[in-house]
Each structure stands twice: as C-alpha cells, then as structure tokens.
Amino acid sequence: MTLRSLSLRPVLRMSAALALLALPAQAADETREAWRLFVTDQAAGRVTALDPIAGEVLGVFPTAGYVTHLTASDSGATLFAVQMDHDMVQVLDSGLRRSDHGDHADLKLGAPRLLPVELAGGRPVHTVPHGDEMVQFFDRDGAAQIYHETALLAGDTGHETVRASAPVHGVAVPMGDYMLMAEPDLAAATPAGELPPRFGLSVLDRAGARVGVPAVCTGLHGEAASAGVVAFGCAEGVLLATPQPGGAPKLTLLPYGTDLPAGQVSTLLGGKALQVFLGNYGDSRVAIIDIGAETPFHIVDLPVRRVDFALDPARATTAYVFTEDGRIHALDLLSGALTRSARITGPYSKDGHWRAPRPRLAVMGDAIAVSDPQAGLVRVLDAATFAERRTIPVEGLPFTLVAVGGSGLDH
C-alpha cells in the first residue's frame, strides 16, 4: 500500500461524514392507526367519506342513484356502491392501503375518490369480496361478474362471468376452484316481470358445469364465511359449504330443529378469529350458530325488535346489537348473554317501510360508529364503555356504514 493511498483514508471519511450531515433528517418509522368510514344516504345518491378519528368529512361522492348496498373489498382498498334500482355499480377508492409483511403491516393513506368506472347490469344486489376479487351478482341477468381489484383501480372493468340457471335473486361465492351459486325454482309459477323463487344452491366447476345435485335451501338468503366455511340462510336451516381437499365443496344442512321457536336466518355474519356465525331470527331474536356444537343454534331473545347487528373483529367473542328503543347491547357469543347496554339515540320503530332510515353499525378497532339519520349524525362510541367520543355531522340521512382501516407502520 502506498503512502498516497493511506493519506486518502481520512479525507474519504471526512467527506462521507459531511455528506451525511448534508442529508435531510429522516423521521423514524411511525406506528399509526387510521380508519376511513363510508356513509350512504337513505334518500340521496351519494356516499360520504369520513375520518372518524379526526371527526372530519374527507369527501362527498355523488352516485347515479340511491345506494342500496355498500361493500368493501377484503383489502379495504375499494368499495362497491350498488344501486339496485338504477342497474349500476360504482366503485370507490378508499385511499387506504395496508400491506402485510409478516411481523408488521405497512399503512399508507391517500385521498378517497370515486373511480371513473361504472359496472352496469340488471338489478345488482349481492357483492361478495374474495381476496383480490369482487363478485357482483346481477339478478335480472342471472349472472355473477368477477372483477379484479387491481384492475379496477387502474380503470380496467374487464371481468369473468359465471351464469346461474336463470335470472334469480341470487348470490355467487368462490371456493377454491369452484363457485357456489344460488339456484332458481324454474318449476314454480312466477308472475310476469318477477324473478322465480330460490330453492337451493349448486356447486359449479371452472367450466361453469354443475357438480352433483343442488342442495335444497328454500328461500336462500344471506351468506357469510368463517374459517373457510361458508353459510347460507334457508327456510329449513343453515346450509354449510365446506372445502374438501382435491374435490368439490361439501354441502351440509344444519336443520333448525323442532325445539326452536318459529323463525328463519336470512342475514348472516361470520367470525374472523373464531369460527362462529351470527344471524337474525325473527324481529326480536338473533341466532348464534356454532357449527361444531351438538346443538349448533343458540337463540337469543332481545328486549325489543332488532335494527342492526355487527361482530367485533378484534374481540372475537363479542357482537353488538342495536334495538329500536335506541339502545346498543354487547352480546357475549359464548354465553348468549347481553352483558351491557346503553341508550345512544332516540327510538327507531321497525314499523313502516323496510327502507325507512334507521341506524346502522360499523366497528373500528376500539370504537363503534352508529349512524343516526334522525339527527343527521354519525356517533362514535367507545367499544368498551359505549361512552360517546364524538359526533360527526353528515348531510342528509346518514344510513349504511362501512369502515376500513387498522394499524400499521408508516415508513
């Protein structure tokens, strides 16, 4: 080594140190929690985006018509604003991105926006998120259209189509290489202009061919997934679709049994961390469904009629039920007991039209959002105490709520 090369070392070290001093200060990675709350209007065609933590309105997005259903994708990046009466689905970008990195998740926030795409079809109703896919069923077309979230965010509305036997008020749920599809009763007398009744569920393969015989599920309505099993509400009981290694899903009916009061499950929610389903069961009851138990149905009587209910993803054994007396109740899914209650709004009678504006619930980490259309507010409650943290004024009649978000690292 020469004397010249040795003499360069301190100069290089000093130059590197000076270069580091010249760089702008870098903020440390920050763990943060962020939520976006999307609110439909019960009268006008619009969706309002809120920051429920700051209590701010982030944007108001006009839609072609009244939004009958609002469904978020599994990632929370997009939402389908379904307008059943206008044969239209519009898509919102939540502006929120969470990416899993094993030991942590990254969280990025942008502005919510209405994407420049329109998904037209005959009477859209049920939307099923499935990984990077959103499956939209169009009743009057008798078809499910499968959209890919990454493509929609890029403005591409290309899709695959899977068809039912005929137009029907139906639903389609992917399960591995198969599709679970509602079956119409084509032998039933159907008045002109109306859709035939549902009588069951079929399993379709990748080519769209039916595998085996359809399972009977009269009046099929309501579906949810929990720990890989999909449940459907039927007049006879709850129909379960269970994946099978190397083969088609197995369909099994859990009958209600003669010891249960009269009723039917037609709305279902599925647990995330615990395999459990929660469904309606008449106006003033809910059904906790433990599919592995000897007696799977636990019917819970409510003090008055039910308006809405929601599962708590973070507290696996807890659900919340809002009743028409303006009270919210915590429901223990293991015991079936209502453990605490609080009055948070004025009364909302279940009498009248099914579309009358009534509160809806959404769970956001340690908070619960409740729409209060009579007051023109969204109320944000503490999930542990039901104490009101804040109210957010929302123009019109705030109705359906969908929350997306969580915690992660902001690099």
Side-chain angles (χ1 to χ4, degrees), residues 282-286 302 304-310 320-327 329 345-351 356-361 370-371 399:
D283 280 340
S284 57
R285 298 184 179 100
V286 292
L302 303 171
V304 293
R305 291 180 294 185
R306 178 204 69 258
V307 174
D308 195 26
F309 57 97
Y320 306 104
V321 184
F322 185 88
T323 50
E324 64 179 349
D325 56 358
R327 300 181 71 88
H329 311 268
T345 74
Y348 280 89
S349 173
K350 283 292 291 291
D351 293 328
R358 300 182 183 96
R360 293 292 184 265
L361 307 176
V370 184
S371 59
F399 184 50

PDB file of all heavy atoms in Angstrom, residues 282-286 302 304-310 320-327 329 345-351 356-361 370-371 399:
ATOM      1  N   GLY A 282     -86.104 -13.887  13.242  1.00  0.00           N
ATOM      2  CA  GLY A 282     -87.296 -13.134  13.606  1.00  0.00           C
ATOM      3  C   GLY A 282     -86.924 -11.705  13.978  1.00  0.00           C
ATOM      4  O   GLY A 282     -85.749 -11.338  14.030  1.00  0.00           O
ATOM      5  N   ASP A 283     -87.927 -10.890  14.269  1.00  0.00           N
ATOM      6  CA  ASP A 283     -87.696  -9.469  14.521  1.00  0.00           C
ATOM      7  C   ASP A 283     -86.982  -9.187  15.835  1.00  0.00           C
ATOM      8  O   ASP A 283     -86.256  -8.200  15.945  1.00  0.00           O
ATOM      9  CB  ASP A 283     -89.030  -8.708  14.515  1.00  0.00           C
ATOM     10  CG  ASP A 283     -89.522  -8.403  13.108  1.00  0.00           C
ATOM     11  OD1 ASP A 283     -88.686  -8.432  12.185  1.00  0.00           O
ATOM     12  OD2 ASP A 283     -90.721  -8.151  12.940  1.00  0.00           O
ATOM     13  N   SER A 284     -87.198 -10.014  16.850  1.00  0.00           N
ATOM     14  CA  SER A 284     -86.682  -9.686  18.179  1.00  0.00           C
ATOM     15  C   SER A 284     -85.756 -10.775  18.730  1.00  0.00           C
ATOM     16  O   SER A 284     -85.637 -10.950  19.933  1.00  0.00           O
ATOM     17  CB  SER A 284     -87.834  -9.450  19.161  1.00  0.00           C
ATOM     18  OG  SER A 284     -88.685 -10.574  19.213  1.00  0.00           O
ATOM     19  N   ARG A 285     -85.086 -11.492  17.830  1.00  0.00           N
ATOM     20  CA  ARG A 285     -84.124 -12.502  18.243  1.00  0.00           C
ATOM     21  C   ARG A 285     -82.930 -12.482  17.296  1.00  0.00           C
ATOM     22  O   ARG A 285     -83.035 -12.038  16.145  1.00  0.00           O
ATOM     23  CB  ARG A 285     -84.739 -13.908  18.216  1.00  0.00           C
ATOM     24  CG  ARG A 285     -85.905 -14.137  19.154  1.00  0.00           C
ATOM     25  CD  ARG A 285     -86.347 -15.589  19.094  1.00  0.00           C
ATOM     26  NE  ARG A 285     -87.453 -15.869  19.995  1.00  0.00           N
ATOM     27  CZ  ARG A 285     -88.722 -15.948  19.615  1.00  0.00           C
ATOM     28  NH1 ARG A 285     -89.040 -15.780  18.323  1.00  0.00           N
ATOM     29  NH2 ARG A 285     -89.669 -16.212  20.500  1.00  0.00           N
ATOM     30  N   VAL A 286     -81.801 -13.000  17.783  1.00  0.00           N
ATOM     31  CA  VAL A 286     -80.661 -13.317  16.922  1.00  0.00           C
ATOM     32  C   VAL A 286     -80.247 -14.753  17.216  1.00  0.00           C
ATOM     33  O   VAL A 286     -80.567 -15.303  18.281  1.00  0.00           O
ATOM     34  CB  VAL A 286     -79.465 -12.356  17.133  1.00  0.00           C
ATOM     35  CG1 VAL A 286     -79.798 -10.962  16.644  1.00  0.00           C
ATOM     36  CG2 VAL A 286     -79.011 -12.341  18.586  1.00  0.00           C
ATOM     37  N   LEU A 302     -84.179 -10.684  22.448  1.00  0.00           N
ATOM     38  CA  LEU A 302     -83.825  -9.286  22.669  1.00  0.00           C
ATOM     39  C   LEU A 302     -84.969  -8.581  23.384  1.00  0.00           C
ATOM     40  O   LEU A 302     -86.126  -8.986  23.268  1.00  0.00           O
ATOM     41  CB  LEU A 302     -83.526  -8.604  21.334  1.00  0.00           C
ATOM     42  CG  LEU A 302     -82.424  -9.259  20.492  1.00  0.00           C
ATOM     43  CD1 LEU A 302     -82.369  -8.625  19.109  1.00  0.00           C
ATOM     44  CD2 LEU A 302     -81.072  -9.156  21.185  1.00  0.00           C
ATOM     45  N   VAL A 304     -86.396  -5.709  22.761  1.00  0.00           N
ATOM     46  CA  VAL A 304     -87.319  -5.185  21.743  1.00  0.00           C
ATOM     47  C   VAL A 304     -86.771  -5.587  20.385  1.00  0.00           C
ATOM     48  O   VAL A 304     -85.752  -6.265  20.289  1.00  0.00           O
ATOM     49  CB  VAL A 304     -87.497  -3.644  21.839  1.00  0.00           C
ATOM     50  CG1 VAL A 304     -88.208  -3.249  23.118  1.00  0.00           C
ATOM     51  CG2 VAL A 304     -86.149  -2.941  21.755  1.00  0.00           C
ATOM     52  N   ARG A 305     -87.414  -5.148  19.316  1.00  0.00           N
ATOM     53  CA  ARG A 305     -87.012  -5.601  17.984  1.00  0.00           C
ATOM     54  C   ARG A 305     -85.623  -5.085  17.586  1.00  0.00           C
ATOM     55  O   ARG A 305     -85.219  -3.988  17.944  1.00  0.00           O
ATOM     56  CB  ARG A 305     -88.068  -5.169  16.957  1.00  0.00           C
ATOM     57  CG  ARG A 305     -89.381  -5.907  17.116  1.00  0.00           C
ATOM     58  CD  ARG A 305     -90.422  -5.470  16.102  1.00  0.00           C
ATOM     59  NE  ARG A 305     -90.845  -4.078  16.290  1.00  0.00           N
ATOM     60  CZ  ARG A 305     -91.810  -3.496  15.599  1.00  0.00           C
ATOM     61  NH1 ARG A 305     -92.451  -4.175  14.657  1.00  0.00           N
ATOM     62  NH2 ARG A 305     -92.138  -2.238  15.831  1.00  0.00           N
ATOM     63  N   ARG A 306     -84.944  -5.933  16.833  1.00  0.00           N
ATOM     64  CA  ARG A 306     -83.591  -5.658  16.371  1.00  0.00           C
ATOM     65  C   ARG A 306     -83.608  -4.721  15.153  1.00  0.00           C
ATOM     66  O   ARG A 306     -84.423  -4.872  14.248  1.00  0.00           O
ATOM     67  CB  ARG A 306     -82.943  -6.985  15.978  1.00  0.00           C
ATOM     68  CG  ARG A 306     -81.550  -6.943  15.430  1.00  0.00           C
ATOM     69  CD  ARG A 306     -81.286  -8.168  14.569  1.00  0.00           C
ATOM     70  NE  ARG A 306     -82.075  -8.123  13.342  1.00  0.00           N
ATOM     71  CZ  ARG A 306     -83.175  -8.816  13.130  1.00  0.00           C
ATOM     72  NH1 ARG A 306     -83.646  -9.630  14.045  1.00  0.00           N
ATOM     73  NH2 ARG A 306     -83.824  -8.712  11.987  1.00  0.00           N
ATOM     74  N   VAL A 307     -82.662  -3.771  15.111  1.00  0.00           N
ATOM     75  CA  VAL A 307     -82.491  -2.898  13.955  1.00  0.00           C
ATOM     76  C   VAL A 307     -81.247  -3.287  13.157  1.00  0.00           C
ATOM     77  O   VAL A 307     -81.281  -3.378  11.937  1.00  0.00           O
ATOM     78  CB  VAL A 307     -82.421  -1.415  14.391  1.00  0.00           C
ATOM     79  CG1 VAL A 307     -82.096  -0.510  13.203  1.00  0.00           C
ATOM     80  CG2 VAL A 307     -83.746  -0.982  15.024  1.00  0.00           C
ATOM     81  N   ASP A 308     -80.122  -3.516  13.848  1.00  0.00           N
ATOM     82  CA  ASP A 308     -78.889  -3.908  13.163  1.00  0.00           C
ATOM     83  C   ASP A 308     -78.000  -4.650  14.155  1.00  0.00           C
ATOM     84  O   ASP A 308     -78.200  -4.569  15.371  1.00  0.00           O
ATOM     85  CB  ASP A 308     -78.161  -2.671  12.616  1.00  0.00           C
ATOM     86  CG  ASP A 308     -77.083  -3.029  11.592  1.00  0.00           C
ATOM     87  OD1 ASP A 308     -77.203  -4.095  10.952  1.00  0.00           O
ATOM     88  OD2 ASP A 308     -76.121  -2.254  11.429  1.00  0.00           O
ATOM     89  N   PHE A 309     -77.024  -5.392  13.617  1.00  0.00           N
ATOM     90  CA  PHE A 309     -76.064  -6.076  14.477  1.00  0.00           C
ATOM     91  C   PHE A 309     -74.732  -6.189  13.760  1.00  0.00           C
ATOM     92  O   PHE A 309     -74.664  -6.122  12.524  1.00  0.00           O
ATOM     93  CB  PHE A 309     -76.577  -7.443  14.942  1.00  0.00           C
ATOM     94  CG  PHE A 309     -76.940  -8.410  13.843  1.00  0.00           C
ATOM     95  CD1 PHE A 309     -76.046  -9.375  13.429  1.00  0.00           C
ATOM     96  CD2 PHE A 309     -78.194  -8.362  13.251  1.00  0.00           C
ATOM     97  CE1 PHE A 309     -76.384 -10.288  12.431  1.00  0.00           C
ATOM     98  CE2 PHE A 309     -78.547  -9.272  12.255  1.00  0.00           C
ATOM     99  CZ  PHE A 309     -77.633 -10.236  11.845  1.00  0.00           C
ATOM    100  N   ALA A 310     -73.659  -6.331  14.545  1.00  0.00           N
ATOM    101  CA  ALA A 310     -72.311  -6.391  13.979  1.00  0.00           C
ATOM    102  C   ALA A 310     -71.421  -7.217  14.880  1.00  0.00           C
ATOM    103  O   ALA A 310     -71.594  -7.238  16.107  1.00  0.00           O
ATOM    104  CB  ALA A 310     -71.730  -4.979  13.832  1.00  0.00           C
ATOM    105  N   TYR A 320     -72.397  -6.757  18.695  1.00  0.00           N
ATOM    106  CA  TYR A 320     -73.197  -5.615  19.133  1.00  0.00           C
ATOM    107  C   TYR A 320     -74.538  -5.656  18.405  1.00  0.00           C
ATOM    108  O   TYR A 320     -74.597  -5.954  17.208  1.00  0.00           O
ATOM    109  CB  TYR A 320     -72.475  -4.302  18.837  1.00  0.00           C
ATOM    110  CG  TYR A 320     -71.074  -4.267  19.412  1.00  0.00           C
ATOM    111  CD1 TYR A 320     -69.961  -4.432  18.591  1.00  0.00           C
ATOM    112  CD2 TYR A 320     -70.871  -4.119  20.782  1.00  0.00           C
ATOM    113  CE1 TYR A 320     -68.678  -4.429  19.113  1.00  0.00           C
ATOM    114  CE2 TYR A 320     -69.587  -4.120  21.315  1.00  0.00           C
ATOM    115  CZ  TYR A 320     -68.499  -4.275  20.482  1.00  0.00           C
ATOM    116  OH  TYR A 320     -67.223  -4.290  21.002  1.00  0.00           O
ATOM    117  N   VAL A 321     -75.594  -5.353  19.156  1.00  0.00           N
ATOM    118  CA  VAL A 321     -76.943  -5.346  18.600  1.00  0.00           C
ATOM    119  C   VAL A 321     -77.583  -4.004  18.924  1.00  0.00           C
ATOM    120  O   VAL A 321     -77.579  -3.569  20.086  1.00  0.00           O
ATOM    121  CB  VAL A 321     -77.802  -6.483  19.173  1.00  0.00           C
ATOM    122  CG1 VAL A 321     -79.168  -6.505  18.503  1.00  0.00           C
ATOM    123  CG2 VAL A 321     -77.108  -7.835  19.011  1.00  0.00           C
ATOM    124  N   PHE A 322     -78.120  -3.346  17.897  1.00  0.00           N
ATOM    125  CA  PHE A 322     -78.858  -2.090  18.092  1.00  0.00           C
ATOM    126  C   PHE A 322     -80.352  -2.404  17.990  1.00  0.00           C
ATOM    127  O   PHE A 322     -80.784  -3.078  17.045  1.00  0.00           O
ATOM    128  CB  PHE A 322     -78.457  -1.064  17.038  1.00  0.00           C
ATOM    129  CG  PHE A 322     -79.075   0.288  17.251  1.00  0.00           C
ATOM    130  CD1 PHE A 322     -78.460   1.234  18.051  1.00  0.00           C
ATOM    131  CD2 PHE A 322     -80.297   0.612  16.679  1.00  0.00           C
ATOM    132  CE1 PHE A 322     -79.024   2.479  18.267  1.00  0.00           C
ATOM    133  CE2 PHE A 322     -80.881   1.843  16.884  1.00  0.00           C
ATOM    134  CZ  PHE A 322     -80.247   2.781  17.689  1.00  0.00           C
ATOM    135  N   THR A 323     -81.121  -1.947  18.964  1.00  0.00           N
ATOM    136  CA  THR A 323     -82.555  -2.231  19.001  1.00  0.00           C
ATOM    137  C   THR A 323     -83.366  -0.953  18.824  1.00  0.00           C
ATOM    138  O   THR A 323     -82.853   0.160  18.983  1.00  0.00           O
ATOM    139  CB  THR A 323     -82.936  -2.939  20.309  1.00  0.00           C
ATOM    140  OG1 THR A 323     -82.386  -2.216  21.431  1.00  0.00           O
ATOM    141  CG2 THR A 323     -82.413  -4.357  20.322  1.00  0.00           C
ATOM    142  N   GLU A 324     -84.657  -1.125  18.509  1.00  0.00           N
ATOM    143  CA  GLU A 324     -85.479   0.010  18.089  1.00  0.00           C
ATOM    144  C   GLU A 324     -85.746   1.025  19.195  1.00  0.00           C
ATOM    145  O   GLU A 324     -86.256   2.116  18.921  1.00  0.00           O
ATOM    146  CB  GLU A 324     -86.807  -0.485  17.499  1.00  0.00           C
ATOM    147  CG  GLU A 324     -87.699  -1.219  18.469  1.00  0.00           C
ATOM    148  CD  GLU A 324     -89.008  -1.658  17.841  1.00  0.00           C
ATOM    149  OE1 GLU A 324     -89.328  -1.219  16.719  1.00  0.00           O
ATOM    150  OE2 GLU A 324     -89.727  -2.444  18.471  1.00  0.00           O
ATOM    151  N   ASP A 325     -85.398   0.717  20.439  1.00  0.00           N
ATOM    152  CA  ASP A 325     -85.537   1.697  21.516  1.00  0.00           C
ATOM    153  C   ASP A 325     -84.347   2.643  21.606  1.00  0.00           C
ATOM    154  O   ASP A 325     -84.230   3.432  22.557  1.00  0.00           O
ATOM    155  CB  ASP A 325     -85.756   0.990  22.864  1.00  0.00           C
ATOM    156  CG  ASP A 325     -84.653  -0.009  23.189  1.00  0.00           C
ATOM    157  OD1 ASP A 325     -83.739  -0.191  22.363  1.00  0.00           O
ATOM    158  OD2 ASP A 325     -84.717  -0.618  24.274  1.00  0.00           O
ATOM    159  N   GLY A 326     -83.427   2.578  20.626  1.00  0.00           N
ATOM    160  CA  GLY A 326     -82.278   3.468  20.597  1.00  0.00           C
ATOM    161  C   GLY A 326     -81.120   3.000  21.447  1.00  0.00           C
ATOM    162  O   GLY A 326     -80.203   3.783  21.740  1.00  0.00           O
ATOM    163  N   ARG A 327     -81.119   1.716  21.832  1.00  0.00           N
ATOM    164  CA  ARG A 327     -80.069   1.187  22.696  1.00  0.00           C
ATOM    165  C   ARG A 327     -79.135   0.270  21.915  1.00  0.00           C
ATOM    166  O   ARG A 327     -79.541  -0.410  20.964  1.00  0.00           O
ATOM    167  CB  ARG A 327     -80.665   0.413  23.878  1.00  0.00           C
ATOM    168  CG  ARG A 327     -81.560   1.249  24.768  1.00  0.00           C
ATOM    169  CD  ARG A 327     -82.105   0.448  25.940  1.00  0.00           C
ATOM    170  NE  ARG A 327     -81.076   0.148  26.917  1.00  0.00           N
ATOM    171  CZ  ARG A 327     -80.739   0.946  27.932  1.00  0.00           C
ATOM    172  NH1 ARG A 327     -81.362   2.108  28.085  1.00  0.00           N
ATOM    173  NH2 ARG A 327     -79.795   0.600  28.791  1.00  0.00           N
ATOM    174  N   HIS A 329     -76.393  -2.947  22.551  1.00  0.00           N
ATOM    175  CA  HIS A 329     -76.152  -4.020  23.511  1.00  0.00           C
ATOM    176  C   HIS A 329     -74.895  -4.775  23.093  1.00  0.00           C
ATOM    177  O   HIS A 329     -74.677  -5.027  21.899  1.00  0.00           O
ATOM    178  CB  HIS A 329     -77.323  -5.002  23.549  1.00  0.00           C
ATOM    179  CG  HIS A 329     -78.663  -4.360  23.669  1.00  0.00           C
ATOM    180  ND1 HIS A 329     -79.279  -4.126  24.883  1.00  0.00           N
ATOM    181  CD2 HIS A 329     -79.518  -3.886  22.716  1.00  0.00           C
ATOM    182  CE1 HIS A 329     -80.451  -3.545  24.680  1.00  0.00           C
ATOM    183  NE2 HIS A 329     -80.627  -3.396  23.368  1.00  0.00           N
ATOM    184  N   THR A 345     -79.414   6.829  20.972  1.00  0.00           N
ATOM    185  CA  THR A 345     -80.212   7.648  20.058  1.00  0.00           C
ATOM    186  C   THR A 345     -81.652   7.656  20.560  1.00  0.00           C
ATOM    187  O   THR A 345     -81.999   6.970  21.521  1.00  0.00           O
ATOM    188  CB  THR A 345     -80.204   7.098  18.620  1.00  0.00           C
ATOM    189  OG1 THR A 345     -81.021   5.923  18.555  1.00  0.00           O
ATOM    190  CG2 THR A 345     -78.802   6.769  18.131  1.00  0.00           C
ATOM    191  N   GLY A 346     -82.485   8.409  19.857  1.00  0.00           N
ATOM    192  CA  GLY A 346     -83.915   8.308  20.072  1.00  0.00           C
ATOM    193  C   GLY A 346     -84.434   7.000  19.511  1.00  0.00           C
ATOM    194  O   GLY A 346     -83.697   6.247  18.862  1.00  0.00           O
ATOM    195  N   PRO A 347     -85.711   6.673  19.744  1.00  0.00           N
ATOM    196  CA  PRO A 347     -86.260   5.406  19.239  1.00  0.00           C
ATOM    197  C   PRO A 347     -86.395   5.407  17.719  1.00  0.00           C
ATOM    198  O   PRO A 347     -86.619   6.441  17.102  1.00  0.00           O
ATOM    199  CB  PRO A 347     -87.623   5.320  19.923  1.00  0.00           C
ATOM    200  CG  PRO A 347     -87.973   6.729  20.249  1.00  0.00           C
ATOM    201  CD  PRO A 347     -86.692   7.442  20.522  1.00  0.00           C
ATOM    202  N   TYR A 348     -86.248   4.219  17.137  1.00  0.00           N
ATOM    203  CA  TYR A 348     -86.414   3.995  15.698  1.00  0.00           C
ATOM    204  C   TYR A 348     -87.314   2.782  15.513  1.00  0.00           C
ATOM    205  O   TYR A 348     -86.861   1.646  15.631  1.00  0.00           O
ATOM    206  CB  TYR A 348     -85.075   3.731  15.016  1.00  0.00           C
ATOM    207  CG  TYR A 348     -84.260   4.959  14.714  1.00  0.00           C
ATOM    208  CD1 TYR A 348     -83.355   5.466  15.649  1.00  0.00           C
ATOM    209  CD2 TYR A 348     -84.372   5.611  13.500  1.00  0.00           C
ATOM    210  CE1 TYR A 348     -82.588   6.579  15.372  1.00  0.00           C
ATOM    211  CE2 TYR A 348     -83.616   6.731  13.199  1.00  0.00           C
ATOM    212  CZ  TYR A 348     -82.715   7.211  14.143  1.00  0.00           C
ATOM    213  OH  TYR A 348     -81.964   8.315  13.857  1.00  0.00           O
ATOM    214  N   SER A 349     -88.575   2.996  15.233  1.00  0.00           N
ATOM    215  CA  SER A 349     -89.516   1.892  15.118  1.00  0.00           C
ATOM    216  C   SER A 349     -89.218   1.050  13.888  1.00  0.00           C
ATOM    217  O   SER A 349     -88.855   1.571  12.825  1.00  0.00           O
ATOM    218  CB  SER A 349     -90.947   2.430  15.038  1.00  0.00           C
ATOM    219  OG  SER A 349     -91.853   1.376  14.770  1.00  0.00           O
ATOM    220  N   LYS A 350     -89.401  -0.271  14.028  1.00  0.00           N
ATOM    221  CA  LYS A 350     -89.279  -1.171  12.881  1.00  0.00           C
ATOM    222  C   LYS A 350     -90.537  -1.179  12.014  1.00  0.00           C
ATOM    223  O   LYS A 350     -90.515  -1.758  10.920  1.00  0.00           O
ATOM    224  CB  LYS A 350     -89.002  -2.597  13.377  1.00  0.00           C
ATOM    225  CG  LYS A 350     -87.580  -2.852  13.834  1.00  0.00           C
ATOM    226  CD  LYS A 350     -86.576  -2.823  12.703  1.00  0.00           C
ATOM    227  CE  LYS A 350     -86.710  -3.984  11.734  1.00  0.00           C
ATOM    228  NZ  LYS A 350     -86.328  -5.277  12.290  1.00  0.00           N
ATOM    229  N   ASP A 351     -91.619  -0.576  12.486  1.00  0.00           N
ATOM    230  CA  ASP A 351     -92.824  -0.485  11.664  1.00  0.00           C
ATOM    231  C   ASP A 351     -92.567   0.468  10.503  1.00  0.00           C
ATOM    232  O   ASP A 351     -91.744   1.370  10.585  1.00  0.00           O
ATOM    233  CB  ASP A 351     -94.011   0.013  12.498  1.00  0.00           C
ATOM    234  CG  ASP A 351     -94.441  -0.991  13.551  1.00  0.00           C
ATOM    235  OD1 ASP A 351     -94.298  -2.206  13.294  1.00  0.00           O
ATOM    236  OD2 ASP A 351     -94.891  -0.565  14.630  1.00  0.00           O
ATOM    237  N   ALA A 356     -87.023   2.572   5.361  1.00  0.00           N
ATOM    238  CA  ALA A 356     -87.055   3.769   6.207  1.00  0.00           C
ATOM    239  C   ALA A 356     -85.697   3.954   6.879  1.00  0.00           C
ATOM    240  O   ALA A 356     -85.042   2.974   7.249  1.00  0.00           O
ATOM    241  CB  ALA A 356     -88.160   3.638   7.248  1.00  0.00           C
ATOM    242  N   PRO A 357     -85.242   5.204   7.026  1.00  0.00           N
ATOM    243  CA  PRO A 357     -83.902   5.430   7.599  1.00  0.00           C
ATOM    244  C   PRO A 357     -83.824   5.012   9.059  1.00  0.00           C
ATOM    245  O   PRO A 357     -84.557   5.510   9.907  1.00  0.00           O
ATOM    246  CB  PRO A 357     -83.706   6.944   7.441  1.00  0.00           C
ATOM    247  CG  PRO A 357     -85.075   7.519   7.298  1.00  0.00           C
ATOM    248  CD  PRO A 357     -85.905   6.458   6.632  1.00  0.00           C
ATOM    249  N   ARG A 358     -82.929   4.075   9.325  1.00  0.00           N
ATOM    250  CA  ARG A 358     -82.693   3.573  10.680  1.00  0.00           C
ATOM    251  C   ARG A 358     -81.192   3.394  10.878  1.00  0.00           C
ATOM    252  O   ARG A 358     -80.452   3.240   9.912  1.00  0.00           O
ATOM    253  CB  ARG A 358     -83.414   2.236  10.891  1.00  0.00           C
ATOM    254  CG  ARG A 358     -84.929   2.296  10.708  1.00  0.00           C
ATOM    255  CD  ARG A 358     -85.570   0.935  10.975  1.00  0.00           C
ATOM    256  NE  ARG A 358     -87.019   0.977  10.735  1.00  0.00           N
ATOM    257  CZ  ARG A 358     -87.609   0.610   9.596  1.00  0.00           C
ATOM    258  NH1 ARG A 358     -86.866   0.173   8.582  1.00  0.00           N
ATOM    259  NH2 ARG A 358     -88.921   0.668   9.462  1.00  0.00           N
ATOM    260  N   PRO A 359     -80.715   3.384  12.132  1.00  0.00           N
ATOM    261  CA  PRO A 359     -79.266   3.305  12.382  1.00  0.00           C
ATOM    262  C   PRO A 359     -78.633   2.021  11.868  1.00  0.00           C
ATOM    263  O   PRO A 359     -79.260   0.970  11.787  1.00  0.00           O
ATOM    264  CB  PRO A 359     -79.182   3.397  13.908  1.00  0.00           C
ATOM    265  CG  PRO A 359     -80.399   4.169  14.306  1.00  0.00           C
ATOM    266  CD  PRO A 359     -81.467   3.686  13.355  1.00  0.00           C
ATOM    267  N   ARG A 360     -77.349   2.147  11.566  1.00  0.00           N
ATOM    268  CA  ARG A 360     -76.502   1.023  11.211  1.00  0.00           C
ATOM    269  C   ARG A 360     -75.194   1.124  12.002  1.00  0.00           C
ATOM    270  O   ARG A 360     -74.815   2.204  12.451  1.00  0.00           O
ATOM    271  CB  ARG A 360     -76.202   0.999   9.705  1.00  0.00           C
ATOM    272  CG  ARG A 360     -77.439   0.719   8.840  1.00  0.00           C
ATOM    273  CD  ARG A 360     -77.939  -0.697   9.040  1.00  0.00           C
ATOM    274  NE  ARG A 360     -79.055  -1.038   8.175  1.00  0.00           N
ATOM    275  CZ  ARG A 360     -80.334  -0.953   8.532  1.00  0.00           C
ATOM    276  NH1 ARG A 360     -80.654  -0.490   9.737  1.00  0.00           N
ATOM    277  NH2 ARG A 360     -81.298  -1.290   7.701  1.00  0.00           N
ATOM    278  N   LEU A 361     -74.513  -0.026  12.162  1.00  0.00           N
ATOM    279  CA  LEU A 361     -73.309  -0.110  12.978  1.00  0.00           C
ATOM    280  C   LEU A 361     -72.092  -0.440  12.122  1.00  0.00           C
ATOM    281  O   LEU A 361     -72.194  -1.130  11.106  1.00  0.00           O
ATOM    282  CB  LEU A 361     -73.454  -1.211  14.035  1.00  0.00           C
ATOM    283  CG  LEU A 361     -74.679  -1.187  14.951  1.00  0.00           C
ATOM    284  CD1 LEU A 361     -74.659  -2.421  15.861  1.00  0.00           C
ATOM    285  CD2 LEU A 361     -74.710   0.082  15.770  1.00  0.00           C
ATOM    286  N   VAL A 370     -72.091   4.582  14.787  1.00  0.00           N
ATOM    287  CA  VAL A 370     -73.532   4.371  14.692  1.00  0.00           C
ATOM    288  C   VAL A 370     -74.125   5.526  13.891  1.00  0.00           C
ATOM    289  O   VAL A 370     -73.942   6.698  14.255  1.00  0.00           O
ATOM    290  CB  VAL A 370     -74.196   4.321  16.081  1.00  0.00           C
ATOM    291  CG1 VAL A 370     -75.678   4.001  15.944  1.00  0.00           C
ATOM    292  CG2 VAL A 370     -73.509   3.313  16.979  1.00  0.00           C
ATOM    293  N   SER A 371     -74.812   5.210  12.797  1.00  0.00           N
ATOM    294  CA  SER A 371     -75.485   6.280  12.057  1.00  0.00           C
ATOM    295  C   SER A 371     -76.787   6.626  12.773  1.00  0.00           C
ATOM    296  O   SER A 371     -77.484   5.765  13.290  1.00  0.00           O
ATOM    297  CB  SER A 371     -75.750   5.857  10.609  1.00  0.00           C
ATOM    298  OG  SER A 371     -76.561   4.702  10.552  1.00  0.00           O
ATOM    299  N   PHE A 399     -76.875   6.625   6.624  1.00  0.00           N
ATOM    300  CA  PHE A 399     -77.503   5.307   6.763  1.00  0.00           C
ATOM    301  C   PHE A 399     -76.439   4.222   6.889  1.00  0.00           C
ATOM    302  O   PHE A 399     -75.816   4.071   7.925  1.00  0.00           O
ATOM    303  CB  PHE A 399     -78.443   5.078   5.582  1.00  0.00           C
ATOM    304  CG  PHE A 399     -79.227   3.803   5.619  1.00  0.00           C
ATOM    305  CD1 PHE A 399     -79.930   3.435   6.750  1.00  0.00           C
ATOM    306  CD2 PHE A 399     -79.273   2.960   4.521  1.00  0.00           C
ATOM    307  CE1 PHE A 399     -80.659   2.253   6.803  1.00  0.00           C
ATOM    308  CE2 PHE A 399     -79.997   1.782   4.546  1.00  0.00           C
ATOM    309  CZ  PHE A 399     -80.693   1.425   5.684  1.00  0.00           C
TER     310      PHE A 399
END
